[in-house]
């Protein structure tokens, strides 16, 4: 239920408040709610203000507390059941944080499913806060469950359609939940084959790794000829400050060995995109994964 971040223990629901698809004003309202900073009757009593407390979300008004307004009231129970029921989340008369933990702790089956769990509670919080303002200012007598349900459904469906325009989500909320739960990610795989170098060429495949805790690095690689036969393999310990330097040192070591043993036409294969991009910018050409170049110029580039 709790996660550690920046040397302090923070509730999981506090982390999920600041979602990119949730407007800032709703996130800020939710932040105040979780910190119990909303000016409801139970909070005003702490300042010594005598008043007759009654909520405006039930037919028979009850004592207005944060727990009652957002979880235990008649409107809250109907809305939580309307939107949580199709997702398999049952309404529980539990503290607000535990209710949110049920939403955020449920394991999703895909990205859309995850987004639904992460954003659904917050429009309700925002709508509840707005309704409270209208009621307290006297512009509205009581909440309307039907209107709240339609507005929340429109907000959620519009947000999902903007985030996933390729999905058809024009059905009712239970139907949308049913469709989303059946969606599964399409596996996207790419077959990578090692290709033989051309005649009179050698290929250097190298890699490097860096350990932040100790500052130690390791680099290794192999050199093969046009028939795929192994010419040389190396593993060398080193010290550096990041993984990209380790990749660069590994490439430098392999290229220098080839030059010293008379190989002038070299193909270098590396898996560091940063190192490859630096090389491409310096040479103004070539591919990212497989580089064919004049070996001595490339060695000078690595050394610099």
């Amino acid at each position: 239920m709790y996660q550690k971040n920046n040397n302090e223990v923070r509730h999981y629901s506090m982390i999920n408040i600041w979602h990119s698809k949730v407007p800032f004003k709703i996130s800020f309202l939710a932040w105040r709610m979780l910190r119990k900073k909303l000016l409801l009757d139970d909070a005003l009593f702490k300042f010594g203000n005598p008043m007759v407390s009654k909520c405006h979300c039930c037919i028979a008004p009850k004592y207005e507390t944060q727990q009652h307004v957002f979880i235990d009231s008649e409107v809250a129970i109907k809305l939580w059941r309307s939107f949580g029921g199709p997702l398999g989340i049952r309404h529980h008369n539990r503290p607000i944080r535990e209710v949110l933990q049920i939403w955020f702790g449920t394991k999703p089956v895909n990205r859309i499913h995850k987004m639904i769990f992460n954003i659904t509670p917050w429009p309700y919080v925002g709508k509840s806060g707005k309704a409270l303002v209208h009621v307290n200012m006297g512009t509205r007598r009581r909440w309307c469950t039907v209107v709240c349900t339609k507005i929340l459904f429109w907000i959620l469906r519009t947000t999902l359609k903007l985030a996933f325009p390729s999905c058809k989500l024009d059905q009712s909320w239970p139907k949308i939940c049913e469709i989303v739960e059946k969606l599964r990610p399409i596996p996207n795989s790419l077959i990578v084959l090692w290709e033989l170098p051309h005649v009179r060429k050698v290929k250097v495949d190298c890699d490097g790794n860096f350990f932040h805790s100790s500052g130690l690095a390791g680099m290794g690689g192999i050199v093969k000829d046009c028939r795929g036969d192994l010419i040389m393999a190396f593993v060398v310990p080193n010290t550096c400050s990041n993984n990209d330097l380790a990749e660069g040192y590994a490439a430098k070591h392999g290229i220098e060995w080839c030059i010293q043993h008379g190989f002038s036409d070299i193909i270098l294969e590396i898996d560091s995109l940063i190192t490859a991009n630096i090389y491409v910018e310096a040479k103004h050409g070539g591919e990212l994964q497989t580089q064919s170049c004049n070996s001595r110029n490339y060695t000078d580039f690595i050394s610099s």
Side-chain angles (χ1 to χ4, degrees):
M1 184 180 297
Y2 293 87
Q3 290 187 352
K4 196 170 184 180
N5 187 14
N6 296 330
N7 297 325
E8 70 173 336
V9 178
R10 302 175 61 191
H11 195 275
Y12 189 66
S13 57
M14 295 293 289
I15 300 174
N16 281 270
I17 288 175
W18 313 106
H19 195 282
S20 60
K21 301 300 180 181
V22 178
F24 174 78
K25 61 180 181 180
I26 296 180
S27 297
F28 183 68
L29 177 65
W31 178 81
R32 292 185 61 193
M33 178 195 70
L34 292 175
R35 290 181 174 270
K36 299 181 179 180
K37 300 297 183 181
L38 296 179
L39 293 180
L40 300 177
D41 289 351
D42 59 338
L44 294 176
F45 275 130
K46 297 179 181 179
F47 295 95
N49 296 327
M51 63 176 65
V52 178
S53 176
K54 61 177 182 178
C55 71
H56 298 274
C57 47
C58 300
I59 297 178
K62 299 178 182 179
Y63 184 72
E64 186 183 69
T65 64
Q66 184 170 280
Q67 176 70 20
H68 176 75
V69 170
F70 292 101
I71 300 296
D72 299 333
S73 65
E74 297 174 3
V75 176
I77 292 174
K78 292 179 181 179
L79 290 177
W80 285 118
R81 287 177 178 174
S82 297
F83 291 95
L87 294 169
I89 299 179
R90 305 304 176 190
H91 177 78
H92 301 281
N93 294 325
R94 298 180 180 179
I96 296 176
R97 290 177 179 267
E98 292 188 16
V99 173
L100 295 176
Q101 178 61 26
I102 294 174
W103 278 86
F104 302 141
T106 303
K107 186 177 180 180
V109 296
N110 52 59
R111 290 174 55 199
I112 307 179
H113 206 219
K114 180 180 180 180
M115 185 174 177
I116 289 176
F117 284 126
N118 286 340
I119 69 172
T120 299
W122 302 131
Y124 167 70
V125 172
K127 182 60 182 175
S128 301
K130 186 176 181 180
L132 280 173
V133 173
H134 284 293
V135 170
N136 292 333
M137 293 181 63
T139 57
R140 189 178 301 167
R141 290 185 177 181
R142 202 169 65 84
W143 297 12
C144 180
T145 307
V146 177
V147 175
C148 289
T149 302
K150 290 182 178 180
I151 293 176
L152 293 179
F153 172 61
W154 181 85
I155 293 174
L156 292 172
R157 186 176 63 179
T158 303
T159 304
L160 292 173
K161 290 174 68 175
L162 291 175
F164 304 96
S166 60
C167 297
K168 297 181 180 180
L169 302 174
D170 295 325
Q171 297 83 357
S172 62
W173 180 251
K175 189 64 176 179
I176 290 176
C177 296
E178 181 182 351
I179 294 174
V180 169
E181 288 178 350
K182 293 180 180 179
L183 296 177
R184 292 296 182 272
I186 300 176
N188 186 13
S189 59
L190 176 64
I191 300 177
V192 180
L193 300 177
W194 188 87
E195 297 181 355
L196 291 172
H198 298 294
V199 180
R200 298 181 181 179
K201 291 186 178 182
V202 295
K203 180 176 285 190
V204 179
D205 295 271
C206 56
D207 196 7
N209 193 19
F210 167 72
F211 297 94
H212 292 273
S213 58
S214 61
L216 299 177
M219 55 186 185
I222 58 174
V223 181
K224 291 187 176 183
D225 60 15
C226 60
R227 295 174 297 181
D229 295 334
L230 179 65
I231 300 175
M232 185 273 291
F234 66 92
V235 177
V236 182
N238 204 338
T239 56
C240 60
S241 58
N242 56 60
N243 283 319
D244 296 315
L245 280 177
E247 297 274 0
Y249 286 140
K252 176 178 180 291
H253 185 88
I255 294 292
E256 286 181 343
W257 186 92
C258 292
I259 294 173
Q260 293 171 3
H261 290 78
F263 299 103
S264 59
D265 206 349
I266 304 169
I267 299 175
L268 175 65
E269 284 190 351
I270 53 178
D271 60 0
S272 172
L273 183 60
I274 294 178
T275 305
N277 284 337
I278 293 174
Y279 170 70
V280 170
E281 292 175 3
K283 293 299 177 181
H284 304 288
E287 299 178 357
L288 291 180
Q289 187 177 10
T290 304
Q291 306 291 345
S292 178
C293 62
N294 181 282
S295 58
R296 186 169 299 278
N297 291 337
Y298 185 72
T299 304
D300 294 339
F301 162 73
I302 290 291
S303 299
S304 61

